[in-house]
Structure formats: C-alpha cells, structure tokens
Amino acid sequence: MDKKPTLVVALGGNALLKRGEPLEADIQRKNIDLAAATIASLTRQWRVVLVHGNGPQVGLLALQNSACDAVTPYPLDVLGAESQGMIGYMLQQSLKNQLPERHISVLLTQVEVDADDPAFSNPTKYIGPVYDQAQADALGREKGWTFRPDGRWFRRVVPSPLPAHIVESDAIQALLERDHLVICNGGGGVPVVQKADGYHGVEAVIDKDLSAALLARQLDADALLILTDADAVYLDWGTPGQRPLIQATPELLRNMQFDAGSMGPKIAACCRYVEACHGRAGIGALADGPAILSGDKGTLIRMENMTSAAL
C-alpha cells in the first residue's frame, strides 16, 4: 500500500479554460493535458485526491440549456453533475495516459449544504464566460440572471452556500486506501439539502476550494494545494503597489480583506484546513505546483508563527 502523505489538490475551472478563451472542447483538452502533467508530477511525492472547479463549464452548460425552449431548463444541480462527468472524464483520460500504471477513479459526488444558508440571497460565485457590460445587461434582462464585475469584464453569479458534509466521503476514503488517484467533489460537488425523505438538489454552485478544504479535513490530509490562474496571493491587488504574499499564518490572513468571488474563498479554505489539521496549504499557479508546497513559489500557509514575507 502506498505510504505517501495525502494531498488534496483543488484545480480551478479557469486553469482548465483560461479567462477569455473560447469554451471549446479541444481547447479544454489541451489545457487539461497541461494540468494533468502537473498532477502527475505531484504523485511522485504525494497520494493525490483531485478536486476540480467548473465555473466556466457549468456556465456554458447553462447557456446551452437555456437555448432550448422545448423543455424547461435543467436546474444548476443537474448541470453541476453533468460538468463533473465532462471534466472528470477528460482529467481521468489524460491522467491515465500519463500514469498508465495508476488507478484513476472519478466519483460523482454530492455535497450537503444548509437550506437556510444566507448565500442563497446573496449570489457571489462566478460561472460561465466573460461579457462586456452591454452583453451582461442584455442577458440579465433576457434570462433574469445576476451579473457582477470580474476584473474589467462581467460574469454571471449564483448562490454559493458553504459545504457542510460530503455524502460520498466513505467511498472516497475507500478508493484512496486502495491507492487510487481519486477525482471527486467536481465543481465543489453537486449541492443537495437533506429533507425528511432524503437528499434533494438545489440551485447553487458550491465553491470548489471550500469543498476541497472540507474533504482535506475529513481525510485528515497532510496538505492542501489550490492551483489557479494567479501565481500567488497578492496584497493591495490591482494597485501600483501590489505584491505577492509569500508565506502567512491563518491569523494574519483573517485580518485581511480579499475578493469574495475569487481569492476570498481560497484564503478561507486554506485557513480552515490549516487550523483544523495543522498541515500546510498552498495557493499558486498550475505550472508551479510542486514548488508551492516547498515554499519556493506561490503563497504557503502554515500554523507556525513565522514572519510573513512579501516581495
């Protein structure tokens, strides 16, 4: 049995479809091959569990879904499950081609949320492609969607309730113990609430970073790695004085403000995991994967009372 330490990796949907790229299958496959090369390199030192985002992809599915007026549009939980299958299949195939000796398993995963979560009345999770303001305004009027600025563009936002329980956690643990590289909690997991008669899907998209952190806590993982399209956490982001934060503690980060729709959940996810498990958590660019956890790239978060550094 593999005795390597356990690493939960959260791979951003924007790392698979870069900002502004056409939402084409061939483009996504090329990006996934690059992502899989980084994940494969991590397996030399770690027993990897992979969680992926689905923001661009589930937004595309929603657009395609709403274009057919012959049927009622499918809800976001169903589209989230579709995106798990689509992205999971591409990741599984690419990883198997690069690691032919490894077992690669994709698990469709439900994640329970609180039906009374205040996020349902305050949508913040970006999904879908970017638009200019005129396009966003037109789509908002036509479809009743909510849009918010994302840099110089606009994107649709949907509710993003906090993940409370991973329904299939026992299955994930069983596969991990059999030395499978497990792809799970795709898109943060299919959001469900528990009622008297069982689980029911809800209109939301769970943040994949918070979901990955919950999974890392449940597995008591040794490390959490969030790979995104930013090379580090930045102080004073968007100003002439912006600079990367090289290392930090949860206590330091909780006293800072970060964007609720992008870096904020990543910081919160890392802080919750580090405080619960006393492991290390890293945030950085996909290409820098292994170097982030060694402190050579990106931002490294640990409990140790060390001096934070910014270039």
Side-chain angles (χ1 to χ4, degrees), residues 154-175:
F154 288 81
R155 291 179 73 190
R156 184 186 174 191
V157 289
V158 299
S160 184
L162 291 175
H165 172 66
I166 299 166
V167 179
E168 286 77 24
S169 59
D170 285 350
I172 296 168
Q173 182 68 59
L175 288 167

Side-chain angles (χ1 to χ4, degrees), residues 92-109:
Q92 180 185 45
Q93 187 176 80
S94 185
L95 283 164
K96 186 65 175 178
N97 288 342
Q98 298 191 42
L99 299 167
E101 76 286 355
R102 295 297 305 271
H103 298 294
I104 315 292
S105 295
V106 181
L107 184 65
L108 184 68
T109 317

